[in-house]
Amino acid sequence: MKKKTVISVVAVIMLVALTCAVLAGCNKTYKRDALANSPTGDSPVTGNGGMAVRVGDYLYFINGYAGQDAANEFGEVVKGAIMRVKFDASGNPDVSTVETVVPKNVYNTSATSSLVVRSGYIYFTTPSDKSDSDGNAKTSEMVLMRSTLDGAKTETIAEFSDYTPNYRVSANYIVYVNSASELHLIDLNAKRFTDTVIDTEVSSFTVPDYADAYNTMEDVVFYLKSAEGAYATHNIVYAYKAGGSPKAVIDGLGSYPAAELPHPGGYKISLLDVTFDGDGLRLEYTKSDSGANTKSTGVYSYLFDATLSFNSAAEVRYTTGATYTSLWYLDSENILAVDSDSIDFIFKKGDSWEIRRNLVEVSSVSILNASMTASAESADVVTLRIDYINSSKVYGISLVLDKNDTANLDYDSVELLFDSKYATDWLSLDLVGNTVYFFNSDVLNNIYYVNLDTVDPRDASSRIAKRLGVFSPEDVIGMLESVSE
């Protein structure tokens, strides 16, 4: 496939109209009085990327799910606004301290796009508050914005025609891929937030979850492109460090010795995820080939350092034949792996990797949190604690296993930790610390929380969620009307 290198003037104009990040109108600012005693840019941040983020002694959160078409006039928004609250002595939010930071309706359709705090700013998306020629609100268009942590200054970064852009925020840049399969860079230090096309024909894109501490590789993203050539069956993994140039890091054909290829056409790679590992980034992916038996099928990883160089001899293969939808690293040698109907345990034993299947055997499962503790007597005996989501509930289980004994598995009974109803239109459950935040679908999608540390599985009342945010006047009326009926 031939790479596009020439764009006509007309195409440029159309592109700018589609993703407005360089026009003067995109730098609209909103100002209000600064909130007192606000965190600073170097305050510790945990829980980025969800509906709630802890910054210093405050929790910044989205005050309920208002939806795409809700009122969005700056200064008047309650539901969907960004608010903050202080923590009390017990570590729970003190709702008497709730105050509004950004009175705009925070909204998106992608679960990977929510609140992000970096270098003293909180980044978010909101429906456009502009109108078309007929006076209809253009809420199907997305606006990417940021605000200072004290709420004094909110500004527009970029405007998009839809909610498809998948983006990553770092200290100085935003990298995103749009529906036209283009990789873009927004320079946050430029006067008008300069938007630059970095690459085209991007077929897949993955970024690491936000780390709680600064990592020198936090602004690296990985993406896939098809190989050029009408008969090529392999593809290529690229790495891009914001502010630099794209680099082909894994060529499904050229990065491997020809004599070791199971098929002369090379490998077809699918990206799973990328995670921080010390000062490096561990890319997780699956591979397959065009051979009759697809001998290469399995889950792999590679640990990249700052040079972003690849050596096929250092590639790690976890499975043969088996593939998974996601991995949870307990450490570099012990992994929980999720497939369609179970959570399995992949661990390193000597120079090879083994799989202990069906630690948790349920369909449509996802891991909320997990940890591992080695026995004082033997490093091969480990205790696993897994909190997982299944059928819109959160369960917890502790398991003890011996890596040398595949027959025995000791485990506690499964504990029900969370059973409140929650909206899944956009964001589902968000874990910050050991507290779950969610939009409560039983209470008009307002934001509630459950501190899992205080849950007694034998006491259903300990699972009752508590309100975090502020009810809008419309929701108060709606609840009164529902009671009267």
Side-chain angles (χ1 to χ4, degrees), residues 129-410:
D129 57 10
K130 296 179 180 179
S131 300
D132 61 21
S133 58
D134 295 323
N136 300 311
K138 301 168 71 173
T139 58
S140 62
E141 299 182 0
M142 181 184 85
V143 183
L144 177 59
M145 307 185 76
R146 73 177 183 181
S147 170
T148 51
L149 292 173
D150 60 9
K153 179 182 178 182
T154 300
E155 57 190 336
T156 298
I157 297 172
E159 299 179 20
F160 302 89
S161 62
D162 54 32
Y163 293 88
T164 58
N166 181 7
Y167 62 91
R168 165 79 180 186
V169 181
S170 62
N172 299 301
Y173 302 98
I174 291 176
V175 179
Y176 70 88
V177 171
N178 61 16
S179 57
S181 301
E182 297 168 333
L183 181 73
H184 284 242
L185 176 74
I186 297 176
D187 186 346
L188 297 173
N189 294 316
K191 186 176 181 179
R192 296 192 181 278
F193 298 133
T194 305
D195 187 313
T196 305
V197 179
I198 301 300
D199 208 345
T200 60
E201 300 175 351
V202 174
S203 62
S204 180
F205 173 74
T206 189
V207 301
D209 287 338
Y210 291 97
D212 290 341
Y214 173 75
N215 188 293
T216 57
M217 297 182 72
E218 69 165 9
D219 53 3
V220 175
V221 301
F222 292 89
Y223 60 98
L224 282 172
K225 296 185 69 171
S226 298
E228 296 183 0
Y231 301 103
T233 58
H234 69 287
N235 55 3
I236 302 170
V237 180
Y238 284 78
Y240 174 64
K241 183 175 177 62
S245 300
K247 180 179 181 180
V249 291
I250 308 179
D251 185 314
L253 181 61
S255 293
Y256 299 88
E260 297 178 8
L261 292 174
H263 185 275
Y267 298 111
K268 192 77 170 181
I269 299 171
S270 296
L271 301 179
L272 286 178
D273 203 355
V274 57
T275 56
F276 292 108
D277 189 328
D279 293 328
L281 278 177
R282 187 176 295 280
L283 182 67
E284 307 155 13
Y285 48 97
T286 61
K287 292 195 310 189
S288 62
D289 58 74
S290 299
N293 298 316
T294 59
K295 295 180 180 179
S296 65
T297 298
V299 178
Y300 300 74
S301 81
Y302 190 84
L303 181 60
F304 286 95
D305 61 19
T307 66
L308 295 172
S309 299
F310 178 79
N311 177 3
S312 63
E315 184 180 59
V316 177
R317 182 172 188 172
Y318 299 124
T319 68
T320 300
T323 59
Y324 292 92
T325 56
S326 65
L327 304 179
W328 183 289
Y329 282 82
L330 299 163
D331 59 31
S332 61
E333 297 186 352
N334 299 276
I335 305 167
L336 295 177
V338 179
D339 63 13
S340 60
D341 58 6
S342 70
I343 298 176
D344 298 347
F345 182 45
I346 302 175
F347 58 94
K348 192 171 185 181
K349 189 174 181 181
D351 294 329
S352 63
W353 290 83
E354 298 189 8
I355 303 177
R356 185 71 175 270
R357 299 184 184 276
N358 301 331
L359 295 188
V360 177
E361 193 171 2
V362 292
S363 59
S364 302
V365 63
S366 61
I367 297 174
L368 181 67
N369 201 15
S371 61
M372 181 189 74
T373 305
S375 166
E377 290 75 26
S378 172
D380 288 329
V381 178
V382 297
T383 299
L384 301 176
R385 173 65 188 189
I386 308 173
D387 294 342
Y388 61 91
I389 303 171
N390 177 245
S391 299
S392 299
K393 298 178 181 180
V394 176
Y395 299 91
I397 187 171
S398 295
L399 312 99
V400 180
L401 59 84
D402 186 338
K403 296 179 182 179
N404 297 311
D405 183 355
T406 59
N408 296 319
L409 179 69
D410 295 327

